[in-house]
Amino acid sequence: MAAQAAAAAQAAAAQAAQAEAAESWYLALLGFAEHFRTSSPPKIRLCVHCLQAVFPFKPPQRIEARTHLQLGSVLYHHTKNSEQARSHLEKAWLISQQIPQFEDVKFEAASLLSELYCQENSVDAAKPLLRKAIQISQQTPYWHCRLLFQLAQLHTLEKDLVSACDLLGVGAEYARVVGSEYTRALFLLSKGMLLLMERKLQEVHPLLTLCGQIVENWQGNPIQKESLRVFFLVLQVTHYLDAGQISQVCQLCQQSPRLFSNHAAQLHTLLGLYCVSVNCMDNAEAQFTTALRLTNHQELWAFIVTNLASVYIREGNRHQEVLYSLLERINPDHSFPVSSHCLRAAAFYVRGLFSFFQGRYNEAKRFLRETLKMSNAEDLNRLTACSLVLLGHIFYVLGNHRESNNMVVPAMQLASKIPDMSVQLWSSALLRDLNKACGNAMDAHEAAQMHQNFSQQLLQDHIEACSLPEHNLITWTDGPPPVQFQAQNGPNTSLASLL
């Protein structure tokens, strides 16, 4: 018995020494790999060599799976070798599922692998992977919520907003059950954002009411609460604007002097856009000029200048010198002041509009084609529709009726889908003239009838808007908003505590 006990002790000691040695070589290789990865500049090839050197030692499954994950992550983030990255991540995901209580490696591998699949346009491979990871992660709240967000984002990119909203709703309920009100608010606010994209305003209203209560009552990290508050207010302002309530925004700012001082430029910008929509160009100029005076934010400045330039173009020759100065400051061909693709696309459109009115049609076409290229990539539907109609006008003026028709028909379809009645009015006018020029009497009559209907509806909308007391805000260019407007249809929550 004594001999057996001694042998067992020796075996245990040998195993312990072997494990300690294994841990030593593994930690040494891992340390070298991390050193090379964080070098300046990073030495990725050497980092990969160190991690690959782990496998000849035939390490335990936990070390093997983690090393595959580390290799896949390094190759994915730092190289263009997506094939090897995918191979390592797939092995990490496969092996880690066989190991109990190994959630961090298992779900990080699933998350990264699905990202890589999407990057390779293999969305059909990413979806079932994420669904399985979500199914088996319900006991791990962090990863379960993160994977739900990831799958919802994938559906959003595919324009499947219904599935994305469903997943965000599932996430909100899961977060409520596990007692994470911060995460619940994130899910609900994200769902609200998608509902606004779908223009489901009736569903947005109760959801924002609930979000306001959650944000108001949550007593957590102040920085996280501030981020939720900003997210909520952005959606609330967007909701008010979509519902035609450009005065609820003023009311929000009136409840907090700090909020007003921080957002006065945005308020005047929104009023300027409203003025353009009701064809009050002098007031639009005044609002945009006031907004420029109040902002130091580079992107907002570029947005305002772009819209002010379009106002000057529409007014003709009144502001030629100022207009030339503005156009030079937002020249999209060189030294554009901000990195935003959306604003650069808008700047190309404004340049195209200006060239069109100047009769420089080839130059206008070049600018508008750049706009189309960028706006299609960013899903800027209104900018795409406007560019198509303007290109249609150019081809019409040049006598190329076929190309004109090829532009205006998809523009009308897109404007109907948005929907945007101003672009529909513009498109129908061009369709009417185009069909008349081609001798298509019936089509010309139909387009003329559409134009008449859109014109009457827009006129009625303008009359109703201009008759409201809130319309008087277009004359406000100094100090706080002149009138205290009461909320009527917006989410009912105590905003004072949020602001």
Side-chain angles (χ1 to χ4, degrees):
M1 289 291 292
Q4 289 178 339
Q10 285 179 341
Q15 285 182 345
Q18 186 177 5
E20 186 177 341
E23 185 177 334
S24 298
W25 63 254
Y26 173 64
L27 291 176
L29 286 172
L30 201 61
F32 279 125
E34 184 63 10
H35 167 74
F36 290 131
R37 189 185 70 83
T38 57
S39 297
S40 184
K43 300 175 181 177
I44 300 302
R45 187 173 59 83
L46 294 175
C47 171
V48 169
H49 283 329
C50 289
L51 291 172
Q52 287 174 331
V54 170
F55 298 122
F57 287 91
K58 300 191 182 305
Q61 274 195 321
R62 284 178 172 266
I63 291 179
E64 183 184 5
R66 190 178 294 278
T67 304
H68 279 301
L69 172 61
Q70 290 164 329
L71 271 167
S73 178
V74 168
L75 291 167
Y76 174 62
H77 289 113
H78 298 282
T79 76
K80 296 181 180 179
N81 196 336
S82 59
E83 188 175 341
Q84 278 196 28
R86 182 177 66 251
S87 174
H88 284 293
L89 290 172
E90 286 173 343
K91 288 174 182 175
W93 167 239
L94 181 65
I95 296 169
S96 61
Q97 291 179 75
Q98 305 166 20
I99 305 172
Q101 298 181 341
F102 207 40
E103 281 74 13
D104 57 337
V105 169
K106 184 189 310 179
F107 299 126
E108 187 173 349
S111 178
L112 271 178
L113 184 55
S114 66
E115 275 187 37
L116 191 150
Y117 283 153
C118 290
Q119 192 178 80
E120 296 179 333
N121 295 318
S122 301
V123 175
D124 290 338
K127 285 180 184 175
L129 168 63
L130 283 172
R131 289 193 192 104
K132 181 172 183 182
I134 288 168
Q135 183 182 0
I136 62 177
S137 65
Q138 294 187 39
Q139 302 305 314
T140 314
Y142 168 79
W143 278 110
H144 189 65
C145 292
R146 179 168 164 177
L147 292 165
L148 279 169
F149 271 121
Q150 193 168 346
L151 184 54
Q153 183 183 32
L154 194 157
H155 282 299
T156 302
L157 292 173
E158 286 196 306
K159 305 293 188 294
D160 183 3
L161 300 186
V162 173
S163 297
C165 282
D166 288 344
L167 282 165
L168 293 171
V170 169
E173 178 59 20
Y174 176 84
R176 185 192 67 79
V177 170
V178 299
S180 177
E181 288 295 277
Y182 172 77
T183 308
R184 183 188 178 200
L186 279 181
F187 275 115
L188 289 173
L189 289 168
S190 300
K191 182 177 179 180
M193 181 173 64
L194 297 188
L195 291 173
L196 283 170
M197 289 170 63
E198 291 189 283
R199 301 189 66 79
K200 293 184 176 179
L201 302 185
Q202 295 301 316
E203 295 181 43
V204 173
H205 172 77
L207 187 142
L208 285 184
T209 300
L210 175 60
C211 286
Q213 294 166 353
I214 293 173
V215 175
E216 182 178 352
N217 295 329
W218 187 63
Q219 302 298 320
N221 183 295
I223 295 176
Q224 289 181 319
K225 181 160 186 170
E226 178 70 7
S227 69
L228 288 179
R229 185 186 70 85
V230 171
F231 195 177
F232 169 75
L233 289 173
V234 167
L235 293 185
Q236 192 172 48
V237 168
T238 305
H239 173 57
Y240 287 150
L241 293 173
D242 279 351
Q245 299 168 347
I246 179 90
S247 65
Q248 301 286 0
V249 183
C250 291
Q251 187 202 29
L252 286 180
C253 288
Q254 283 178 328
Q255 294 185 33
S256 168
R258 180 173 62 86
L259 191 67
F260 174 72
S261 65
N262 290 339
H263 294 84
Q266 286 91 329
L267 270 178
H268 287 288
T269 303
L270 293 172
L271 283 169
L273 295 173
Y274 167 76
C275 292
V276 172
S277 74
V278 292
N279 208 32
C280 297
M281 293 302 168
D282 288 341
N283 297 106
E285 178 190 349
Q287 292 296 335
F288 288 139
T289 304
T290 301
L292 281 178
R293 175 168 50 84
L294 294 173
T295 189
N296 293 317
H297 190 276
Q298 196 76 351
E299 287 202 354
L300 181 59
W301 179 91
F303 179 80
I304 297 166
V305 168
T306 303
N307 281 280
L308 182 57
S310 71
V311 169
Y312 287 155
I313 290 170
R314 291 172 65 172
E315 287 192 309
N317 296 322
R318 281 181 52 193
H319 305 280
Q320 285 294 302
E321 290 186 12
V322 179
L323 176 57
Y324 279 114
S325 173
L326 291 179
L327 290 174
E328 188 56 38
R329 296 170 78 182
I330 54 167
N331 189 334
D333 280 325
H334 57 82
S335 63
F336 192 65
V338 294
S339 60
S340 168
H341 285 277
C342 303
L343 286 174
R344 191 158 174 257
F348 271 119
Y349 175 78
V350 170
R351 294 297 292 247
L353 185 66
F354 180 64
S355 298
F356 170 75
F357 279 109
Q358 294 287 308
R360 301 197 298 270
Y361 298 129
N362 286 332
E363 183 179 88
K365 284 191 288 185
R366 182 180 77 81
F367 286 130
L368 293 171
R369 282 168 178 152
E370 286 295 326
T371 304
L372 282 176
K373 190 191 309 179
M374 300 181 75
S375 61
N376 280 330
E378 298 291 333
D379 287 330
L380 306 174
N381 289 338
R382 189 174 192 276
L383 199 53
T384 299
C386 288
S387 300
L388 286 171
V389 183
L390 191 50
L391 276 169
H393 262 291
I394 292 171
F395 286 120
Y396 175 74
V397 171
L398 294 174
N400 191 338
H401 294 164
R402 183 177 178 181
E403 276 302 306
S404 180
N405 189 70
N406 289 340
M407 297 294 114
V408 72
V409 170
M412 175 63 90
Q413 293 169 345
L414 190 54
S416 302
K417 181 183 173 183
I418 296 174
D420 190 307
M421 201 174 299
S422 297
V423 181
Q424 287 175 296
L425 179 70
W426 188 11
S427 302
S428 60
L430 178 56
L431 274 175
R432 177 198 61 200
D433 296 343
L434 186 59
N435 284 305
K436 191 182 296 183
C438 294
N440 302 327
M442 288 186 62
D443 290 339
H445 176 74
E446 183 182 343
Q449 190 60 52
M450 279 196 300
H451 183 266
Q452 179 69 12
N453 293 340
F454 291 138
S455 181
Q456 288 179 350
Q457 193 168 344
L458 273 174
L459 180 61
Q460 185 61 36
D461 288 347
H462 286 187
I463 291 171
E464 290 179 6
C466 294
S467 67
L468 294 172
E470 292 87 350
H471 179 76
N472 294 323
L473 280 169
I474 68 172
T475 62
W476 162 59
T477 56
D478 191 34
V483 182
Q484 177 75 34
F485 295 105
Q486 298 300 319
Q488 296 175 3
N489 300 315
N492 183 19
T493 184
S494 173
L495 288 169
S497 61
L498 293 174
L499 302 174

